[in-house]
């Protein structure tokens, strides 16, 4: 980059002076500007221009360390001249006059251009000589151009000012205009820049060529050429910091103190933001996690320095810098002339690199002292706690009581605005200043765990455990233990659970307690029953305990609802109650419980599994959707992951496999694999098994957090391994895994086929291996238990398995029973599977008409619920035009959002109306249609109409 674009006027003035010098009318010109304004670059351009005009160029550069050498600058200028030789370092009037005469004589032979850079650092003897030369230039064939950095202490020295005052013209280098920045952006990128890029570069640099160079380097790094890695601009950034640090070191102490005060007070707490969702903006249907919202242009490459300057309190800055008002104004004026502050009423750094250079110039002791003083000034001045806490984060430790109070108040404010990571940072720092034991530290640890549980559950559990040991009373320990999320308690080592059990025993029977102690006892009972600390026998006690609470168990408090939920889960797993009984009580819990993301830290996620097993799904779906919307608004990853897993469970129970997979992927994207145990991810396991998704299965198989769980629990790993074996064509191995899981489930009293139909799976695998008797025994046992549970899907599925392994007309009749049971059930996928199997059996029996009807239903249901393999098999079996090709298979590849948009378009709805109907942008509609055209291999709406029978119409979308 050349910083001389936009300096044409200055070059013209200097060239005009060169022409005058050729005519014997010499003059002195002074080029002024702040740091990085391009003075040196301008002087470096002049020798080439002088050569074109026949002038000889003599150059000198001044430096602070050479100010004690008399005639040092003159020596640099005149040493190259013939006859001058090494200069006498002892100045005197005769020597000065002699040198002036030499210049005059030599200029007659060839006009001269004398360049002196950084005049503010010239030695006194050279300054006097230059002043004398300036007085004689009017009759000489010579022109002198000096540069002066404004804002430097030496720039205002009388000898320098005397020399500058004798200049015929002052050439001030103003900031580059936006038009010049646009030209420089184009030069740097090799093509014209975007308007946003140009504006960003101009704002980031303020038109200063030094800062503009840094901005352009970052801009180029954001636009790598195809096939090339990003450039590493770090060396340039280090050089920039060093140059700024050198400039700052030369300033007087008040100026340095002001710069440090500004650097410290320019900092503040970062604001957390959800990278996937803008506040107040709804996501588009079908949007993939992590992708930009529909209808939004992709952001232009960011340019470092393109930030708004923080408003600073001038009085606060003055106090921190230990300056009075006049001293602060003088120091700010020096920094502004130097080019390190912007022009404006409030002091503000011209570029973030200035603040960084100021911080790097401080010693550790200075850094600690000024941040601590800034925090105290902010705290005593009544400023928001987070501003003071941000200063304390830069301090090694906070031992004073007021610092801990500030950090706690800041954490509370950060949690209130949803910035949990910031709250956690404040509280971790507060721990550095707290005592190693005692109730105060326990309170800090509890607050820290409350901030961490939505972003880092494992850290929250560690800090809860530490607080638990420090609390002095049984009640306090019970309240702390009651805050432990059950899904985390299940992964604790047995000694920790034993301590929780002892606290519960010390607290006593909940029915004998009142107030907070009763609520804590109920929560502890719920958690201990959740992990079944006494082994499998405890699970069987859930149903009697629930019945002991009466026909309408009390649900007025969250603790009561939590206990009822755990008891319902135990009664469901052990099948000690019917599906109807469980559904009734679970729906009562849901009616009393507000939809909130916070439910994920209680036992209430069990409610989803209970209602799914009971096939009572009308209320839980909307309830979870409300909780999900609030979790998205809050931006906390743990609630979003857990709720996504819950929605996957509900949608899987409805047979909407494709949507269930999408929510399972969302749970993984939000980090559920980082902290949840496999039993806590049962829904993801079942999605992987039902969808035959080996990728998701292998991802879950790589999970290693299962080791802490109690041994009597059946391991989901066995189901996953069995699923992978089935997909790999190894039914014998798959059968061993399924039977192993079943044996573990029986030992743990997990008996309900509505949760995991392992007997049905094992019966099918036995049948494939020719072990008919074993297959029928398992199928009969499954049917018996399904009838005892009493829900249509479980009974219908058991009938289908029995029909699948039964030959002849009896098998067809069993499949008809299954189809009738599943016809109006909540699970469309199970209905599609039965219709497919029945259609194939009828086709083999020669009943073509009914077979085609059944297969058509199987295909349509499979397409509707996103089960492509069922649609594909049904399509192959059908003889009609729609089934003979790949249309249904192609339609099954569409996402839910694409299917809705394509369906409306196929039925003739205009794009604008589709956008209004689905409440998305027109661009989102176009994007989904383009993707659908590509997947369906059609050219446009005309060809899309052929798929209308397979796509949802206006009544369905």
């Amino acid at each position: 980059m050349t910083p001389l674009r936009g300096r044409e006027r200055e070059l013209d003035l200097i060239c005009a002076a060169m022409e005058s010098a050729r005519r014997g009318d010499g003059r002195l010109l002074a080029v002024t500007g702040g740091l990085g304004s391009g003075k040196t670059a301008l002087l470096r351009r002049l020798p080439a221009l002088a050569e074109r005009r026949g002038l000889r160029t003599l150059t000198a550069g001044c430096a602070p360390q050479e100010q004690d050498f008399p005639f040092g600058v003159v020596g640099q200028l005149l040493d190259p001249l013939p006859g001058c030789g090494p200069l006498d370092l002892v100045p005197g009037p005769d020597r000065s006059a002699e040198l002036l005469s030499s210049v005059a004589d030599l200029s007659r032979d060839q006009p001269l251009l004398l360049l002196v850079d950084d005049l503010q650092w010239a030695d006194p003897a050279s300054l006097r000589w230059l002043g004398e030369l300036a007085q004689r230039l009017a009759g000489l064939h010579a022109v002198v151009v000096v540069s002066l950095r404004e804002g430097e202490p030496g720039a205002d020295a009388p000898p320098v000012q005397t020399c500058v005052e004798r200049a015929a013209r002052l050439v001030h280098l103003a900031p580059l205009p936006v038009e010049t920045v646009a030209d420089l952006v184009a030069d740097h990128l090799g093509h014209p820049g975007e308007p946003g890029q140009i504006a960003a570069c101009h704002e980031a640099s303020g038109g200063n060529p030094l800062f503009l160079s840094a901005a352009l380097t970052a801009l180029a790094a954001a636009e790598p050429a195809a096939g090339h890695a990003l450039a590493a601009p770090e060396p340039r950034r280090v050089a920039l910091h060093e140059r700024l640090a050198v400039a700052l070191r030369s300033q007087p102490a008040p100026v340095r103190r002001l710069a440090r005060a500004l650097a410290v007070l320019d900092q503040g707490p970062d604001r957390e933001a959800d990278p996937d969702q803008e506040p107040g903006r709804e996501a588009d249907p079908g949007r993939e996690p992590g992708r930009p919202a529909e209808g939004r242009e992709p952001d232009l490459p960011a340019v470092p320095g393109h930030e708004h300057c923080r408003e600073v309190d001038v009085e606060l800055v003055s106090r921190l810098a230990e300056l009075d008002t006049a001293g602060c104004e003088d120091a700010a004026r020096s920094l502004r002339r130097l080019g390190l502050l912007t022009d404006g009423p409030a002091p503000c750094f011209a570029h973030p690199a200035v603040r960084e250079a100021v911080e790097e110039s401080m010693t550790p002791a200075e850094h600690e002292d000024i941040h601590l003083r800034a925090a105290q000034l902010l705290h005593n001045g009544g400023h928001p706690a987070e501003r003071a806490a941000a200063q304390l984060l830069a301090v090694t430790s906070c031992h004073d009581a007021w610092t801990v109070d500030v950090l706690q108040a800041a954490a509370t404010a950060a949690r209130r605005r949803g910035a949990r990571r910031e709250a956690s940072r404040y509280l971790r720092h507060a721990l550095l200043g707290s005592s190693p034991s005692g109730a105060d530290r326990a309170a800090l640890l509890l607050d820290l765990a409350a901030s961490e549980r939505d972003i880092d559950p494992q850290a929250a559990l560690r800090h809860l455990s530490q607080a638990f040991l420090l609390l002095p009373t049984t009640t306090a320990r019970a309240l702390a233990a009651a805050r432990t999320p059950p899904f985390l308690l299940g992964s604790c080592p047995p000694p920790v659970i034993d301590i929780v059990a002892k606290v519960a025993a010390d607290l006593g029977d909940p029915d004998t307690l009142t107030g907070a102690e009763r609520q804590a006892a109920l929560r502890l009972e719920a958690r201990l029953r959740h992990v079944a600390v006494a082994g499998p026998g405890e699970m069987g006690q859930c149903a009697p305990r629930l019945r002991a609470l009466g026909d309408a168990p009390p649900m007025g408090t969250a603790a009561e609802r939590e206990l009822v939920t755990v008891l319902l889960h135990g009664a469901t797993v052990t099948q000690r109650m019917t599906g109807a009984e469980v559904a009734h009580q679970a729906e009562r819990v849901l009616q009393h419980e507000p939809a909130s993301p916070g439910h994920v830290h209680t036992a209430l996620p069990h409610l989803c599994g209970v209602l799914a097993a009971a096939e009572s799904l009308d209320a839980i779906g909307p309830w979870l959707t409300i909780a999900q919307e609030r979790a998205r608004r809050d931006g906390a990853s743990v609630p979003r992951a857990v709720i996504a897993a819950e929605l996957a469970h509900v949608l899987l129970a409805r047979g909407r496999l494709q949507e269930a997979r999408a929510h399972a992927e969302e749970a993984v994207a939000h980090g559920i694999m980082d902290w949840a145990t496999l039993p806590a991810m049962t829904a993801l396991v079942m999605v992987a098994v039902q969808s035959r998704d080996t990728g998701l299965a292998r991802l879950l198989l790589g999970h290693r957090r299962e080791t802490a769980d109690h041994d009597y629990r059946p391991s989901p790993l066995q189901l996953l391994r069995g699923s992978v074996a089935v997909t790999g064509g190894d039914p014998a191995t798959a059968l061993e895994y399924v039977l192993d899981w079943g044996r573990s489930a029986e030992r743990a009293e997990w008996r309900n086929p509505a949760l995991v139909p392992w007997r049905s799976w094992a019966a099918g695998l036995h049948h494939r291996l020719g072990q008919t008797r074993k297959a029928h025994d398992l199928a009969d046992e499954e049917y018996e238990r399904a009838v005892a549970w009493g829900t249509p899907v479980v009974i219908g599925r058991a009938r289908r398995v029995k029909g699948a392994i039964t030959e002849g007309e009896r098998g067809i009749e069993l499949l008809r029973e299954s189809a009738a049971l599943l016809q109006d059930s909540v699970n469309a996928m199970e209905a599609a599977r039965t219709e497919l199997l029945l259609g194939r059996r009828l086709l083999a029996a020669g009943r073509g008409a009914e077979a085609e009807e059944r297969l058509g239903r199987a295909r349509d249901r499979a397409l509707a619920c996103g089960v492509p393999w069922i649609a594909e098999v049904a399509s192959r079996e059908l003889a009609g035009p729609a089934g003979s090709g790949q249309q249904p298979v192609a339609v099954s590849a569409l996402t839910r959002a694409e299917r809705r948009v394509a369906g409306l378009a196929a039925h003739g709805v205009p794009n604008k109306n589709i956008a209004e109907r689905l409440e998305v942008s027109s661009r989102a509609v176009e994007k989904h249609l383009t993707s659908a055209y590509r997947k369906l291999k059609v050219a446009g709406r005309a060809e899309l109409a052929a798929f209308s029978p397979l796509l949802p119409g206006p009544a369905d979308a």
Side-chain angles (χ1 to χ4, degrees), residues 238-509:
V238 171
L240 174 61
H241 286 181
E242 180 60 29
R243 184 171 177 184
L244 293 170
V246 168
L248 287 165
R249 281 197 294 268
S250 68
Q251 297 299 309
V255 177
R256 294 198 305 272
R257 291 204 304 272
L258 177 63
R260 290 173 185 173
L262 284 172
V264 167
L265 294 175
D266 189 38
Q267 299 174 348
D270 297 330
R271 303 292 178 183
E272 282 192 338
D274 173 10
D276 293 340
Q277 185 76 35
E278 292 180 357
R281 183 185 181 97
E282 295 295 331
D284 291 329
R287 175 182 162 201
E288 298 176 20
R291 297 193 58 170
E294 302 291 355
R296 294 178 58 198
E297 294 290 345
D299 293 334
L300 293 171
V303 178
H306 186 198
E307 298 96 0
H308 294 291
C309 183
R310 178 183 297 277
E311 289 290 337
V312 294
D313 185 331
V314 177
E315 182 181 353
L316 188 64
V317 170
S318 300
R319 293 175 63 189
L320 184 58
E322 300 174 309
L323 296 171
D324 57 20
T325 302
C328 184
E329 291 176 353
D330 288 342
R333 190 178 301 110
S334 295
L335 289 173
R336 194 169 282 115
R337 291 179 62 201
L338 194 58
L340 301 185
L341 294 186
T342 59
D343 293 328
C348 178
F349 287 128
H351 192 273
V354 180
R355 180 176 62 79
E356 294 165 5
V358 172
E359 289 184 327
E360 291 171 4
S361 68
M362 288 188 279
T363 66
E366 290 171 338
H367 185 274
E368 185 99 354
D369 175 69
I370 193 168
H371 278 285
L372 189 59
R373 288 194 296 110
Q376 196 158 23
L377 284 172
L378 289 165
H379 174 59
N380 294 338
H383 292 267
E386 284 195 80
R387 287 203 65 192
Q391 301 297 332
L392 292 175
L393 289 178
V395 178
T396 305
S397 60
C398 305
H399 295 294
D400 294 331
W402 71 269
T403 62
V404 176
D405 292 341
V406 166
L407 289 164
Q408 284 184 294
T412 301
R415 276 202 303 270
R416 191 176 296 120
R417 63 181 173 85
R420 296 164 183 80
R421 294 190 188 279
E422 284 300 312
S424 301
R425 287 179 63 201
Y426 297 142
L427 291 170
R428 287 195 192 100
H429 209 67
L431 286 173
L432 297 175
S434 69
S435 61
S437 60
D440 290 344
R441 186 173 183 84
L444 275 176
L445 288 166
L446 289 174
D447 283 347
L448 177 56
S451 299
E452 291 173 326
R453 67 179 191 171
D454 281 344
I455 53 174
D456 190 352
Q458 292 300 320
L461 182 59
R462 288 195 302 273
H463 292 127
L464 277 171
S465 302
Q466 293 168 15
F468 184 76
L469 298 175
L470 296 175
L471 292 167
T473 66
T474 297
T475 300
R477 288 195 295 272
L479 291 171
R483 297 171 68 173
T484 306
F487 72 86
L488 287 179
L489 190 62
S491 65
C492 284
V496 175
I497 298 176
D498 291 341
I499 295 174
V500 175
K502 184 178 185 305
V503 170
D506 292 342
L507 197 60
D509 186 349

Side-chain angles (χ1 to χ4, degrees), residues 92 111 133 229 266 343 358 370 407 485 567 581 595 647 703 848 896:
L133 176 61
D266 189 38
D343 293 328
V358 172
I370 193 168
L407 289 164
L567 296 176
E581 292 174 314
L647 284 167
H703 196 53
R896 180 169 178 262

Side-chain angles (χ1 to χ4, degrees), residues 21 73 97 101 158 214 313 410 417 437-438 542 554 572 659 675 704 714 717 720 812 837 946 950:
V73 174
S101 298
D313 185 331
R417 63 181 173 85
S437 60
C542 289
T572 299
E659 295 172 66
W675 43 263
R704 289 292 176 266
L717 288 175
L720 288 167
I812 292 177
L837 186 55
L950 306 176

Side-chain angles (χ1 to χ4, degrees), residues 628 632 641 643-645 647-648 651 658-668 684:
Q628 182 187 46
R632 284 177 174 170
I643 295 171
L647 284 167
L651 290 164
Q658 189 175 53
E659 295 172 66
R661 285 177 63 187
H663 283 292
E665 291 168 359
E666 182 181 356
V668 172
L684 274 63

